[in-house]
């Protein structure tokens, strides 16, 4: 396996793991607020990854654009600087004087300095990356809690998507909470209880907005 292929595999694994963790954190917050059983409402791998991608859709769209913007700025600066120096020798001397005034290095760094500089940058970048990931998971969990609290408020107002179980003669509509890979959960407002059932045992009702 080539180094590029290895890097691509590591990147793909890292992105997949983050999408999985994002969806899991969100669902954990949602389940915790609604007091749902995650063992009953288990999800398959594809559901989790797709949900994680939906949660991160803004990041997926904006991150490449922001990266492209900064790369363009950096490359344009390098190109203009190279052209400025190549015009004549005095331009290079002017640049050296400017760097000295700004207390910037004017000579090529020694190998030892470059190696340790890269090491410092790598470790700090890794630490910042790990911190960013964990902060993101906390944010996703909070979003799950907020979604659950909004649903609770709608249920209290009577504004919710209704579900009726097969074989039930009662006209009482149950409030839809969540569906996993096999089972679903609804809230019985009259009896104040959560009902779990298989996906093929209910009729789903909602107001048509068309």
């Amino acid at each position: 396996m080539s180094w590029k292929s290895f890097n691509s595999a590591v990147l793909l694994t890292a992105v997949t793991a983050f999408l999985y963790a994002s969806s899991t954190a969100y669902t954990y917050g949602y389940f915790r607020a609604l007091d749902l059983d995650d063992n009953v409402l288990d999800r398959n791998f594809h559901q989790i990854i797709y949900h994680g991608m939906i949660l991160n859709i803004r990041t997926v769209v904006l991150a490449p654009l922001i990266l492209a913007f900064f790369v363009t700025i950096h490359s344009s600066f390098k190109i203009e600087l190279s052209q400025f120096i190549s015009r004549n020798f005095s331009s290079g001397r002017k640049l050296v004087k400017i760097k000295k005034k700004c207390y910037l290095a004017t000579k090529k760094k020694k190998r030892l300095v470059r190696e340790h500089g890269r090491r410092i940058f790598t470790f700090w970048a890794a630490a910042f990356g790990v911190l960013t990931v964990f902060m993101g998971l906390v944010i996703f969990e909070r979003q799950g809690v907020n979604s659950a609290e909004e649903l609770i408020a709608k249920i209290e107002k009577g504004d919710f998507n209704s579900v009726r179980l097969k074989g039930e003669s009662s006209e009482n509509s149950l409030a839809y909470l969540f569906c996993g890979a096999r089972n679903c959960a609804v809230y019985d407002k009259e009896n104040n209880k959560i009902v779990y059932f298989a996906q093929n045992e209910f009729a789903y009702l909602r107001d048509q907005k068309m």
Side-chain angles (χ1 to χ4, degrees):
M1 179 185 291
S2 66
W3 179 248
K4 289 184 178 180
S5 299
F6 176 76
N7 286 341
S8 299
V10 171
L11 178 62
L12 180 60
T13 302
V15 170
T16 303
F18 181 72
L19 295 179
Y20 190 97
S22 299
S23 178
T24 302
Y26 178 95
T27 307
Y28 173 79
Y30 185 83
F31 282 9
R32 182 164 56 88
L34 294 175
D35 196 23
L36 297 176
D37 190 343
D38 57 346
N39 292 318
V40 178
L41 301 174
D42 59 314
R43 299 178 297 162
N44 59 44
F45 180 79
H46 298 91
Q47 285 177 313
I48 297 174
I49 294 299
Y50 181 75
H51 182 234
M53 186 181 68
I54 296 300
L55 291 175
N56 290 278
I57 192 68
R58 185 179 301 176
T59 303
V60 171
V61 172
L62 292 180
L65 295 177
I66 295 174
L67 181 61
F69 173 77
F70 282 107
V71 169
T72 301
I73 295 296
H74 180 265
S75 298
S76 299
F77 174 77
K78 289 287 188 178
I79 292 172
E80 292 297 327
L81 186 63
S82 177
Q83 292 177 347
F84 175 75
I85 295 175
S86 63
R87 289 172 187 170
N88 52 62
F89 182 74
S90 61
S91 297
R93 295 181 64 181
K94 290 179 181 179
L95 179 62
V96 172
K97 290 181 180 180
I98 294 173
K99 293 182 72 174
K100 285 183 177 180
K101 289 182 179 180
C102 297
Y103 299 98
L104 298 176
T106 57
K107 295 181 180 180
K108 188 177 181 180
K109 295 180 180 179
K110 295 181 180 180
R111 181 178 178 182
L112 180 65
V113 176
R114 294 197 304 270
E115 288 180 354
H116 283 276
R118 283 196 297 266
R119 182 178 297 179
I120 292 172
F121 175 80
T122 300
F123 277 93
W124 274 105
F128 179 76
V130 171
L131 179 62
T132 301
V133 168
F134 278 100
M135 288 180 62
L137 296 181
V138 171
I139 292 173
F140 287 126
E141 182 182 347
R142 186 66 244 178
Q143 289 179 354
V145 173
N146 291 340
S147 296
E149 291 176 348
E150 290 176 3
L151 178 60
I152 292 172
K154 289 182 178 180
I155 291 175
E156 291 177 349
K157 295 178 181 178
D159 180 21
F160 56 84
N161 294 322
S162 301
V163 172
R164 290 181 184 173
L165 300 181
K166 289 182 178 180
E168 292 285 340
S169 58
S170 174
E171 293 296 322
N172 179 35
S173 294
L174 307 173
Y176 171 83
L177 298 179
F178 190 85
C179 271
R182 299 170 298 162
N183 303 315
C184 294
V186 294
Y187 176 65
D188 186 346
K189 189 176 180 181
E190 289 188 0
N191 299 313
N192 190 28
K193 64 180 181 180
I194 295 176
V195 180
Y196 297 93
F197 54 89
Q199 287 192 14
N200 60 351
E201 296 181 0
F202 73 100
Y204 179 69
L205 308 176
R206 73 171 186 178
D207 294 333
Q208 183 56 265
K209 298 180 180 181
M210 294 179 61

